[in-house]
């Protein structure tokens, strides 16, 4: 009888301590969002409709967004996210979408420096700050940091940006 | 007798060479055409210095070189016939340029700048000379020596001179040491002066008794030098195994021997450094062993100019290169098949191995029986048997735990295996996949960090743009906190709506009560 009493009191104390710790030091990052964010390709291409990969991961977890919107990831990524989130019947939803699992080719972007007029539109839209240059001067791409998202192609008024293989 | 150093695993092999003629150096005549291949990638531009039709002299640099790529020199005097660009290469990032040089058989040299007293120069200027004479590691890795030396300044305490050839048929380094030992010792002193080394260890295998006695005589009175003898075993030439057997320390993955304080150089590289600094010659020739398996007499050592086509080399020795013969670069264990005979001798080729093609014997691959011979033979303490299992099932996480990237592809496990499994072939595929995964993860980390930095920057810009009393609004502009804000707003709105509904209900009820009266 005394043994049971001692252990029950001990467990009560431990429970109180644990709950106090959880109250005072809360976990700031949502671990599921981070796990999904790590799976995404991080090219920040904004083809899913969100401004980057982290907002999309957040939308998947919190707003129950469709998981097949990432185009560079393909259907391979959809399966991986489904495994993390424990979603069944992924194949049904895969049939409806047009995502294909193509072989990955890394591309970057090159500015034809002769034709660049220095409008600095591309630099302001680049999601990773890979384009440098000041207004009315020639712009260049830092090849090391370019993710190949091709956002800058749409905003160039002189069509001087080309896609090249890495 | 001195202590003999040993290492775990490996195979003992019988030395085949007996013929004293092997150890003499032979010379090749100049071929008519030289083919020089240059690594070329889009981002690290190895710019050309010559045009088609231009006359070149012996030792004239053909390219400018980059931070990581050393310049390439012309092996002969003549004129440039053609330059081919080959963008369709199997390598992802390295396109190859092929330069064809017609020689005029005169061998006119450019003016060489000789240095008599190297101690009057600073280490940086000596390293610059080494870089400009295009010296790379001649052991096989082709890492630029100048880069290695710049990294090693004020970091290393011992220089290890690697004179080991673990492959049983190769004698190129032995031959070099036999003939040019004095020049090699001068080269050691130069390297020691550049990187401020306290000891120099010369490592030789035990079966080369003549050479050991010869070196011992020279070294006797010198305090800097020390001679180490290693047991005759395959593989011993790799720098990781060498340091482990000499000192007992293991180099962890991702670190170089320089971080541990040891600088490892091949004998041929040190000879090339001496020639470049004291004689001013750039690296345009090296010693190549030719080993013919069927006729043991024919194995000899040759001074070969880099860029000599392989078919010329074989024609001069009267070896017919038809379909019945297989030609490899490398020795018995580590070898690569040469398919294109127009390919020329590169800086990292130290042996050419000719073998007859036997069609009758075809090795059958039996299933693995878990005998564990490969585990005992592995010199770097890996588990080839388990790695093979996970390679077949493509379990990449388990492969990373077993440290597949530490494998040095020595093919010892393959030779030992009783069921003829081509283990290294599987490991190469596994290593490639593992490297790709690592690159992908690095990319992801870099890009996500860049994206976060940009978000922060935009936030700061907006803070400057807005006035001070509007700071409370700025929080809403951050994308990461925006969604949270939305949720809170929604819940507040809902509460307000509910309250207003209740008020209306109450008002209506009061009205009805008034009407009843």
């Amino acid at each position: 009888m005394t043994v049971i009493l001692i252990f029950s009191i001990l467990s009560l104390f431990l429970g109180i301590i644990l709950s106090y710790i959880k109250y005072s030091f809360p976990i700031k990052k949502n671990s599921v969002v981070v796990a999904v964010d790590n799976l995404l390709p991080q090219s920040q291409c904004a083809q899913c409709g969100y401004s980057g990969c982290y907002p999309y991961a957040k939308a998947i977890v919190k707003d129950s967004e469709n998981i097949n919107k990432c185009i560079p990831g393909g259907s391979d990524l959809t399966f991986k996210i489904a495994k993390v989130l424990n979603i069944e019947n992924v194949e049904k939803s895969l049939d409806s979408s047009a995502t294909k699992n193509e072989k990955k080719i890394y591309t970057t972007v090159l500015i034809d420096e002769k034709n660049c007029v220095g409008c600095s539109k591309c630099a302001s839209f680049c999601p990773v700050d890979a384009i440098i240059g000041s207004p009315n001067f020639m712009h260049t791409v830092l090849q090391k940091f370019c993710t190949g998202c091709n956002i800058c192609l749409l905003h160039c008024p002189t069509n001087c940006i080309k896609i090249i293989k890495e | 007798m001195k202590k003999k150093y040993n290492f775990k695993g490996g195979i003992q092999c019988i030395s085949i060479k007996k013929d004293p003629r092997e150890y003499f150096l032979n010379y090749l005549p100049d071929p008519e055409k030289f083919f020089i291949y240059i690594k070329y990638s889009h981002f690290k531009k190895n710019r050309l210095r010559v045009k088609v039709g231009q006359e070149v002299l012996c030792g004239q640099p053909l390219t400018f070189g980059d931070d990581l790529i050393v310049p390439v020199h012309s092996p002969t005097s003549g004129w440039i016939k053609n330059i081919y660009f080959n963008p369709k290469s199997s390598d992802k990032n390295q396109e190859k340029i092929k330069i064809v040089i017609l020689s005029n058989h005169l061998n006119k040299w450019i003016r060489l700048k000789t240095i008599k007293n190297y101690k009057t120069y600073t280490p940086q200027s000596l390293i610059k000379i080494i870089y400009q004479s295009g010296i790379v590691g001649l052991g096989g890795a082709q890492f630029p020596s100048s880069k290695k030396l710049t990294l090693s300044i004020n970091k290393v305490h011992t220089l290890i001179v690697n004179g080991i050839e673990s492959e049983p048929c190769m004698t190129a380094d032995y031959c070099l040491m036999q003939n040019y030992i004095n020049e090699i010792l001068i080269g050691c002193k130069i390297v020691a002066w550049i990187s401020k080394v306290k000891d120099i260890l010369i490592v030789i295998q035990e079966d080369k008794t003549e050479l050991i006695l010869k070196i011992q005589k020279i070294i006797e009175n010198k305090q800097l030098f020390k001679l180490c003898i290693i047991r005759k075993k395959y593989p011993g030439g790799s720098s990781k195994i060498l340091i482990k057997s000499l000192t007992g320390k293991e180099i962890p993955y991702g670190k170089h021997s320089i971080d541990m304080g040891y600088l490892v150089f091949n004998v041929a590289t040190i000879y090339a450094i001496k020639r470049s600094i004291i004689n001013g010659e750039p690296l345009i020739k090296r010693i190549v062993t030719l080993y013919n398996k069927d006729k043991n007499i024919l194995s000899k050592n040759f001074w070969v100019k880099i860029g000599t086509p392989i078919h010329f080399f074989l024609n001069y020795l009267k070896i017919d290169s038809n379909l019945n013969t297989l030609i490899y670069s490398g020795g018995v264990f580590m070898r690569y098949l040469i398919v294109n005979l127009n390919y020329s001798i590169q800086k990292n080729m130290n042996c050419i191995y000719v073998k007859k093609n036997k069609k009758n014997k075809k090795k059958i691959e039996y299933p693995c029986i878990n005998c564990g011979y490969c585990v005992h033979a592995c010199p770097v303490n890996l588990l080839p048997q388990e790695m093979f299992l996970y390679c077949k099932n493509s379990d990449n996480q388990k492969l990373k735990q077993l440290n597949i990237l530490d494998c040095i592809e020595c093919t010892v496990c393959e030779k030992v295996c009783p069921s003829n499994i081509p283990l290294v072939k599987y490991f190469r595929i596994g290593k490639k996949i593992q490297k790709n995964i690592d690159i992908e993860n690095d990319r992801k980390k870099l890009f996500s960090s860049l994206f976060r930095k940009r978000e922060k920057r935009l936030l700061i810009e907006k803070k400057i743009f807005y006035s001070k009393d509007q700071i409370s609004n700025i929080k809403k502009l951050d994308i990461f906190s925006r969604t949270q804000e939305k949720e809170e707003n929604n819940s507040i709105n809902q509460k307000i709506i509910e309250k207003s509904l209740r008020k209306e209900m109450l008002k209506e009820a009061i009205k009805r009560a008034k009407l009843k009266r």
Side-chain angles (χ1 to χ4, degrees):
Chain A
M1 190 61 201
T2 51
V3 175
I4 294 166
L5 215 137
I6 287 164
F7 270 94
S8 58
I9 287 163
L10 199 88
S11 55
L12 189 85
F13 260 105
L14 287 174
I16 288 163
I17 290 165
L18 276 175
S19 56
Y20 175 73
I21 286 169
K22 216 211 160 182
Y23 177 74
S24 57
F25 309 106
I27 301 165
K28 277 171 190 170
K29 272 184 181 175
N30 195 339
S31 58
V32 185
V33 175
V34 173
V36 175
D37 189 39
N38 282 337
L39 285 176
L40 290 171
Q42 300 293 346
S43 62
Q44 323 291 358
C45 60
Q47 288 179 73
C48 49
Y50 290 86
S51 61
C53 287
Y54 187 80
Y56 179 52
K58 212 165 186 176
I60 285 172
V61 177
K62 292 194 170 159
D63 301 345
S64 62
E65 178 66 67
N66 283 336
I67 56 171
N68 55 6
K69 281 195 169 178
C70 187
I71 292 164
S75 61
D76 216 27
L77 185 79
T78 329
F79 278 114
K80 277 181 188 169
I81 295 173
K83 214 176 179 183
V84 170
L85 298 177
N86 217 353
I87 300 168
E88 286 174 5
N89 301 327
V90 190
E91 286 161 33
K92 269 186 192 172
S93 59
L94 268 184
D95 292 331
S96 59
S97 66
T99 51
K100 278 178 189 174
N101 198 17
E102 286 169 357
K103 202 187 172 188
K104 267 183 194 172
I105 303 165
Y106 295 118
T107 55
T108 52
V109 145
L110 191 73
I111 290 179
D112 187 9
E113 283 157 5
K114 279 175 193 166
N115 293 331
C116 181
V117 290
C119 62
S120 78
K121 273 179 185 168
C122 49
S124 62
F125 282 102
C126 181
V128 286
D129 283 342
I131 299 173
I132 50 168
S134 52
N136 296 327
F137 284 97
M138 186 183 75
H139 284 60
T140 40
V141 181
L142 299 174
Q143 302 287 357
K144 212 178 171 185
F145 301 143
C146 180
T147 60
C149 62
N150 304 341
I151 289 174
C152 45
L153 280 178
L154 300 171
H155 298 291
C156 185
T158 54
N159 284 336
C160 63
I161 304 179
K162 279 183 269 172
I163 302 170
I164 52 163
K165 267 186 201 172
E166 195 177 309
Chain B
M1 198 60 207
K2 268 185 170 180
K3 186 197 165 193
K4 281 175 189 172
Y5 294 94
N6 200 354
F7 56 91
K8 189 215 151 236
I11 348 172
Q12 287 189 331
C13 27
I14 319 146
S15 53
I16 308 162
K17 59 231 168 185
K18 285 274 153 53
D19 194 12
R21 269 187 294 171
E22 276 184 37
Y23 309 133
F24 293 126
L25 274 169
N26 298 291
Y27 286 86
L28 269 188
D30 279 8
E32 236 170 59
K33 277 180 193 171
F34 284 93
F35 300 124
I36 290 171
Y37 289 85
I38 294 168
K39 269 185 190 172
Y40 174 84
S41 67
H42 207 94
F43 305 131
K44 288 175 210 156
K45 273 183 182 168
N46 200 353
R47 279 175 300 153
L48 284 173
R49 234 176 177 173
V50 286
K51 283 183 241 164
V52 179
Q54 190 183 330
E55 264 189 70
V56 286
L57 292 174
C58 198
Q60 188 179 331
L62 298 173
T63 58
F64 279 103
D66 201 330
D67 192 26
L68 284 169
I69 310 163
V70 289
V72 184
H73 298 266
S74 159
T76 180
S77 60
W79 53 88
I80 288 164
K81 203 191 172 194
N82 219 336
I83 298 172
Y84 297 99
F85 290 88
N86 184 19
K88 286 176 192 170
S89 159
S90 60
D91 280 311
K92 192 180 164 192
N93 232 341
Q94 292 159 353
E95 298 168 30
K96 273 176 180 169
I97 304 175
K98 182 182 171 191
I99 300 176
V100 182
I101 300 174
L102 264 177
S103 94
N104 55 4
H105 298 284
L106 286 173
N107 267 342
K108 262 190 191 171
W109 276 83
I110 51 164
R111 222 177 70 209
L112 298 178
K113 197 189 168 193
T114 55
I115 295 170
K116 271 178 187 171
N117 190 8
Y118 59 89
K119 285 193 178 176
T120 53
Y121 289 76
T122 56
Q124 271 74 19
S125 58
L126 287 179
I127 286 170
K128 207 177 175 188
I129 293 167
I130 289 169
Y131 167 76
Q132 271 161 359
S133 45
I135 291 169
V136 292
L138 294 173
Q142 264 189 308
F143 190 77
S145 307
S146 52
K147 193 94 190 170
K148 213 177 189 177
L149 282 170
T150 43
L151 286 174
S152 74
I153 289 174
N154 296 328
K155 246 185 172 183
V156 291
H157 47 78
T158 41
L159 166 73
I160 295 173
V161 181
N162 186 353
I164 293 176
E165 271 162 316
S166 42
E167 297 259 5
C169 61
M170 265 202 253
T171 47
D173 283 358
Y174 177 52
C175 191
L176 188 83
M177 285 169 97
Q178 195 67 288
N179 291 313
Y180 298 98
I181 184 67
N182 288 324
E183 288 189 58
I184 287 165
L185 292 182
I186 293 166
C188 288
K189 276 181 192 167
I190 292 169
V191 175
W193 197 78
I194 288 171
S195 55
K196 308 283 183 299
V197 172
K198 281 162 193 163
D199 308 294
I200 300 170
L201 307 178
I202 300 169
V203 193
I204 305 173
Q205 275 179 334
E206 59 179 340
D207 63 334
K208 284 148 190 170
T209 42
E210 265 181 61
L211 190 65
I212 290 168
L213 291 174
K214 200 175 170 185
I215 293 173
Q216 264 176 348
K217 244 183 211 171
I218 300 169
I219 284 176
E220 266 181 344
N221 301 324
K222 288 169 185 170
Q223 282 189 341
L224 263 178
F225 292 94
K226 252 185 202 174
L227 193 69
C228 292
I229 301 158
I230 262 191
R231 270 186 196 282
K232 172 85 187 156
K233 242 183 183 184
Y234 176 82
S238 165
S239 65
K240 275 186 182 181
I241 295 170
L242 199 67
I243 285 170
K244 214 209 157 183
S245 56
L246 286 178
T247 62
K249 286 175 194 166
E250 256 189 65
I251 304 169
Y253 172 70
K255 278 195 173 179
H256 202 260
S257 54
I258 288 169
D259 302 325
M260 312 273 293
Y262 296 96
L263 184 66
V264 185
F265 268 117
N266 195 295
V267 178
T269 319
I270 281 178
Y271 177 72
I273 286 171
K274 188 256 153 187
R275 290 299 278 190
S276 75
I277 284 179
I278 291 187
N279 303 39
E281 281 177 26
L283 177 70
I284 55 160
K285 58 181 179 179
R286 65 160 301 144
I287 296 178
V288 175
T289 312
L290 183 105
Y291 178 63
N292 200 335
K293 202 194 175 187
D294 309 308
K295 296 171 196 166
N296 205 3
I297 315 155
L298 259 175
S299 48
K300 279 176 187 173
N301 291 307
F302 296 91
W303 272 116
V304 183
K305 280 187 173 174
I306 287 152
T308 311
I310 285 166
H311 64 83
F312 174 83
F313 187 63
L314 296 175
N315 278 349
Y316 175 72
L317 299 164
K318 286 163 191 165
I319 298 166
D320 16 308
S321 52
N322 46 18
L323 279 172
N324 289 328
T325 50
L326 294 173
I327 294 148
Y328 297 97
S329 78
V332 181
F333 290 98
M334 292 166 99
R335 59 189 185 191
Y336 294 94
L337 187 70
I338 297 169
V339 186
N340 185 8
L341 284 181
N342 271 333
Y343 198 66
S344 61
I345 288 189
Q346 302 289 305
K347 281 176 183 173
N348 60 346
M349 272 188 198
N350 40 14
C351 183
I352 285 176
Y353 175 59
V354 183
K355 189 186 161 191
K356 260 191 185 169
N357 194 2
K358 286 169 190 165
K359 281 176 186 173
N360 306 336
K361 275 191 182 177
K362 205 181 180 184
K363 281 184 178 175
I364 304 163
E365 189 186 327
Y366 296 105
C368 178
I369 51 166
N370 286 337
C371 58
Y373 288 156
C374 45
V375 179
H376 285 292
C378 185
V380 278
N381 289 330
L382 292 174
L383 304 169
Q385 163 196 330
E386 269 186 49
M387 265 154 54
F388 167 67
L389 196 122
Y390 291 126
C391 269
K392 253 195 162 176
N393 300 331
S394 62
D395 192 340
N396 294 320
Q397 277 195 331
K398 278 272 165 57
L399 276 177
K400 206 181 180 183
Q401 282 172 18
L402 289 171
N403 301 326
I404 196 177
L405 287 170
D406 278 340
C407 177
I408 53 167
E409 299 178 22
C410 59
T411 69
V412 166
C413 45
E414 210 176 293
K415 293 276 163 189
V416 164
C417 186
S419 44
N420 293 330
I421 302 169
L423 286 162
V424 174
K425 207 170 127 192
Y426 286 99
F427 295 162
R428 265 179 209 152
I429 298 165
K431 269 170 111 172
K432 223 177 201 176
I433 293 166
Q434 206 63 245
K435 270 177 192 167
N436 282 341
I437 289 169
D438 282 1
I439 290 167
E440 186 85 328
N441 285 340
D442 285 355
R443 279 171 71 101
K444 276 182 185 175
K445 266 181 199 168
L446 176 75
F447 293 155
S448 65
S449 74
L450 282 171
F451 183 63
R452 298 258 161 107
K453 270 181 192 167
R454 183 186 134 97
E455 290 295 327
K456 221 180 229 175
R457 198 202 77 206
L458 287 179
L459 208 103
I460 291 163
E461 271 178 15
K462 266 165 191 168
K463 259 184 195 169
I464 296 161
F465 184 73
Y466 282 92
S467 56
K468 274 180 185 174
D469 45 78
Q470 276 175 322
I471 280 175
S472 57
N473 292 336
I474 288 161
K475 247 192 179 177
K476 286 174 194 171
L477 298 166
D478 189 5
I479 284 177
F480 295 112
S481 59
R482 197 188 272 167
T483 43
Q484 273 188 356
E485 212 81 32
K486 256 186 196 172
E487 284 172 10
E488 284 174 11
N489 280 338
N490 284 340
S491 58
I492 291 164
N493 283 336
Q494 272 183 352
K495 274 178 188 172
I496 292 165
I497 291 162
E498 276 175 13
K499 268 188 182 175
S500 59
L501 274 172
R502 269 182 202 167
K503 270 184 185 173
E504 277 179 10
M505 295 254 282
L506 265 174
K507 273 178 188 173
E508 277 177 5
I510 291 163
K511 267 183 187 176
R512 263 179 264 145
K514 274 180 183 174
L515 279 172
K516 268 187 182 179
R517 277 180 193 173

